[in-house]
Amino acid sequence: MPKQPAATIQLEAYEDGVNYCGIAKVQLPSIVYPCVTIAGTGMMGNMEVPLYGTVDNMTTKIDWLSPTGDAVRLATPDKHMIELREAEEYWDTEQTEVGIWANKYVMIVRPKSFDPGGRAPMGAADANGEYVVYYFAGYRDGKQLWEVDKRNMKCVIMGKDYMADIRKALGK
């Protein structure tokens, strides 16, 4: 692979794709497949099996520089669409050149908690919010890498919808 990731140059957060959210650090949600344990004849003990295409609860955490404005707006018990735009540097190992990938992450969330954080002289605040994620998609240079839409039963990874057969079996 000739292009190797180097580092995130900059990241900006927007609400509804237009309202700049200020200075923040974001922990993206983990995509975790729930598992069941099966046992029975013809098996040697228990076996953990991930349920095909299903995704467990997702959460994201945003650390804010200040407990005002954006942090408080996203603390309202409403649905919020958060868009993260990232400029990521990569190295082209064949051409020995650097380039920039335009990455984007889209989440539909509702707040789970809001912590206004601590205060100290000559120090930044450490406010944060934790959010339940219902929709999560990732893109690199306009190409979708994944899309998890829990309310519409979609789990698309690299273009394949792993819930399509389940929806079909349910007549949807």
Side-chain angles (χ1 to χ4, degrees):
M1 175 181 264
K3 293 182 180 177
Q4 300 295 322
T8 295
I9 301 298
Q10 188 56 277
L11 176 74
E12 292 185 344
Y14 292 84
E15 182 184 19
D16 297 328
V18 293
N19 301 322
Y20 177 67
C21 288
I23 299 170
K25 179 180 173 185
V26 180
Q27 175 62 51
L28 294 174
S30 295
I31 297 173
V32 177
Y33 304 108
C35 297
V36 295
T37 301
I38 61 172
T41 59
M43 295 177 58
M44 187 175 71
N46 296 328
M47 185 169 74
E48 189 174 48
V49 178
L51 296 173
Y52 191 84
T54 60
V55 176
D56 216 342
N57 292 329
M58 295 183 294
T59 59
T60 188
K61 183 178 178 192
I62 302 178
D63 295 317
W64 298 99
L65 186 61
S66 173
T68 59
D70 310 303
V72 175
R73 186 173 68 240
L74 290 177
T76 63
D78 301 309
K79 174 185 78 167
H80 301 275
M81 193 275 283
I82 298 172
E83 183 177 299
L84 304 171
R85 299 174 191 167
E86 176 186 41
E88 181 181 16
E89 181 179 313
Y90 66 82
W91 284 91
D92 185 324
T93 57
E94 289 178 357
Q95 302 298 320
T96 62
E97 298 287 337
V98 297
I100 301 295
W101 283 317
N103 299 332
K104 181 171 71 170
Y105 307 97
V106 177
M107 296 179 281
I108 296 176
V109 304
R110 285 189 56 203
K112 186 175 178 177
S113 67
F114 170 66
D115 182 353
R119 297 290 170 277
M122 297 182 294
D126 58 353
N128 67 71
E130 187 173 8
Y131 307 87
V132 174
V133 179
Y134 299 111
Y135 177 92
F136 180 37
Y139 301 85
R140 171 163 284 161
D141 281 339
K143 181 181 177 192
Q144 186 181 75
L145 302 175
W146 69 82
E147 177 187 33
V148 175
D149 186 346
K150 293 185 68 72
R151 293 183 180 217
N152 291 301
M153 295 180 65
K154 288 180 80 178
C155 178
V156 180
I157 310 290
M158 299 301 288
K160 181 175 179 180
D161 185 351
Y162 288 90
M163 289 298 289
D165 288 340
I166 286 95
R167 290 192 310 275
K168 183 179 176 184
L170 298 173
K172 293 183 177 190

